[in-house]
Amino acid sequence: MSRNLKGLGIVLLFLIMLVSPKAVFAGASEGLLLWFQIILPTLFPFLLVTNLLLVTGNMHLINAAFGTFLTHVFGVSPNGSFAVVTGFLCGYPMGAKTAADLTEAGYISPEEGRYLLSFCNNSSPVFILNYVVWKTLETDALLIPTLLILILSPVLVSFITRKSFLHKKEAFHNLKKNGLTKSAWSFQEIDRCIMDSFETLVKVGGYIILFSVFLSLFEALPVIIPGVSALLPLLEVTNGLGLLREMQLPLQLLYPAVLGLTSFGGFCAAAQTQCMVHKAGFPILPYLTQKLAAALTASLMGSLYLYLR
């Protein structure tokens, strides 16, 4: 029954695309441009360097700088602190990919990997500044509070989720592994890291194009379905922020909505995350619950800030 329903859904989507070729083309073009102009140049350098640090074992240099502090704050292992750094600084889906890669390579336990996934997969500060504050909210006055709220909301969620992962331990510990640290590297390793980075980027781009097509098809519907327009921004965060801006909502409604969407990341980011972590065996439903909790926290903090300022 489930298989038949999925098949009917795919056939229905195919028929809708056949009768709406203009909307499909527009959505695919917009998604491709978003990937090529923003995601590719923004994400590729971080993917490549992160892969190199993992392959050569030199991530211990990052761990030495941040590991002690992050272990005390989040209860992660020194190796796990590398995922915290990439997850908060590099943007979707780097946190998820790093947590999965560390788990698959034996640097951290699967349990710690799932814990890291619960709060380390977030929008990057660059995206928050450029797209959220300057392009969507269009006011420098909200720059600092927006950054703080979007960083603090997953941190607050981590304080709650850690209890179910640490099991009364103070922190996770590094897993021992022979040959963990390597000092030499070669161009063959760089080649492998480049190909792995491009494979990740192609998957990310595919999901962005797919969800951009979904968004374009919904917008092209000849009838307005009550409630659908309000849910469309949840499909993909970048296009979703644009839709929120076009709604011309008052700041008291726009600001919490923007914070919530940016913290959640949209269903496109969730699909990208699932793609990054399925080999590591991380379940996606707990991740979605935790992201929704972070989104609700960010929205409430945004409303409270506007009320108090």
Side-chain angles (χ1 to χ4, degrees), residues 1-12:
M1 183 65 179
S2 173
R3 184 176 178 181
N4 290 335
L5 287 176
K6 291 179 182 177
L8 287 173
I10 295 172
V11 171
L12 179 61

Side-chain angles (χ1 to χ4, degrees), residues 70-77 115 162-163 165-173:
L70 294 176
T71 295
H72 285 300
V73 174
F74 296 107
V76 299
S77 66
Y115 169 56
R162 71 175 61 188
K163 295 179 180 179
F165 292 102
L166 283 170
H167 303 301
K168 298 183 179 180
K169 296 182 294 185
E170 291 187 2
F172 286 100
H173 301 287

Side-chain angles (χ1 to χ4, degrees), residues 172-251:
F172 286 100
H173 301 287
N174 285 342
L175 295 185
K176 302 299 181 181
K177 182 181 176 183
N178 293 330
L180 186 63
T181 303
K182 305 174 184 177
S183 58
W185 56 273
S186 64
F187 283 105
Q188 286 76 17
E189 287 180 334
I190 295 177
D191 289 344
R192 286 196 296 272
C193 290
I194 289 175
M195 291 306 299
D196 181 75
S197 300
F198 273 116
E199 180 182 355
T200 300
L201 283 167
V202 168
K203 291 178 180 179
V204 169
Y207 280 113
I208 290 174
I209 293 171
L210 178 62
F211 277 82
S212 295
V213 169
F214 288 160
L215 184 60
S216 183
L217 287 173
F218 276 117
E219 291 179 322
L221 288 175
V223 294
I224 298 177
I225 303 175
V228 170
S229 59
L231 296 176
L232 286 182
L234 292 174
L235 287 178
E236 199 278 319
V237 62
T238 309
N239 289 316
L241 289 172
L243 289 175
L244 289 176
R245 186 178 66 249
E246 291 172 3
M247 291 179 186
Q248 297 182 339
L249 300 170
L251 185 62

Side-chain angles (χ1 to χ4, degrees), residues 26-294:
S29 299
E30 187 172 352
L32 180 60
L33 286 175
L34 172 62
W35 176 81
F36 182 73
Q37 295 178 344
I38 297 177
I39 305 300
L40 177 61
T42 301
L43 202 55
F44 175 72
F46 291 105
L47 278 168
L48 179 58
V49 172
T50 301
N51 284 333
L52 284 172
L53 288 171
L54 284 169
V55 167
T56 61
N58 287 311
M59 71 172 193
H60 69 87
L61 300 173
I62 304 294
N63 299 344
F66 301 101
T68 302
F69 172 74
L70 294 176
T71 295
H72 285 300
V73 174
F74 296 107
V76 299
S77 66
N79 285 339
S81 66
F82 185 59
V84 179
V85 173
T86 58
F88 277 92
L89 296 183
C90 301
Y92 293 108
M94 283 298 300
K97 184 179 186 305
T98 305
D101 287 347
L102 288 171
T103 302
E104 291 183 66
Y107 286 94
I108 61 175
S109 67
E111 193 169 34
E112 183 178 4
R114 291 192 295 271
Y115 169 56
L116 288 166
L117 181 63
S118 72
F119 71 98
C120 284
N121 199 41
N122 307 299
S123 298
S124 69
V126 173
F127 178 82
I128 294 171
L129 293 177
N130 290 335
Y131 213 90
V132 177
V133 177
W134 291 328
K135 188 168 183 178
T136 303
L137 299 173
E138 298 179 331
T139 172
D140 289 341
L142 293 174
L143 192 153
I144 300 300
T146 300
L147 268 176
L148 290 176
I149 289 171
L150 290 174
I151 290 172
L152 284 176
S153 54
V155 170
L156 293 175
V157 169
S158 77
F159 291 157
I160 300 172
T161 58
R162 71 175 61 188
K163 295 179 180 179
S164 62
F165 292 102
L166 283 170
H167 303 301
K168 298 183 179 180
K169 296 182 294 185
E170 291 187 2
F172 286 100
H173 301 287
N174 285 342
L175 295 185
K176 302 299 181 181
K177 182 181 176 183
N178 293 330
L180 186 63
T181 303
K182 305 174 184 177
S183 58
W185 56 273
S186 64
F187 283 105
Q188 286 76 17
E189 287 180 334
I190 295 177
D191 289 344
R192 286 196 296 272
C193 290
I194 289 175
M195 291 306 299
D196 181 75
S197 300
F198 273 116
E199 180 182 355
T200 300
L201 283 167
V202 168
K203 291 178 180 179
V204 169
Y207 280 113
I208 290 174
I209 293 171
L210 178 62
F211 277 82
S212 295
V213 169
F214 288 160
L215 184 60
S216 183
L217 287 173
F218 276 117
E219 291 179 322
L221 288 175
V223 294
I224 298 177
I225 303 175
V228 170
S229 59
L231 296 176
L232 286 182
L234 292 174
L235 287 178
E236 199 278 319
V237 62
T238 309
N239 289 316
L241 289 172
L243 289 175
L244 289 176
R245 186 178 66 249
E246 291 172 3
M247 291 179 186
Q248 297 182 339
L249 300 170
L251 185 62
Q252 287 75 12
L253 294 178
L254 177 63
Y255 192 51
V258 165
L259 290 175
L261 176 59
T262 306
S263 183
F264 175 58
F267 288 106
C268 181
Q272 296 169 23
T273 298
Q274 167 65 13
C275 178
M276 297 297 114
V277 304
H278 76 278
K279 286 185 179 179
F282 298 164
I284 196 64
L285 286 180
Y287 166 78
L288 288 173
T289 302
Q290 291 144 5
K291 292 303 290 183
L292 288 171

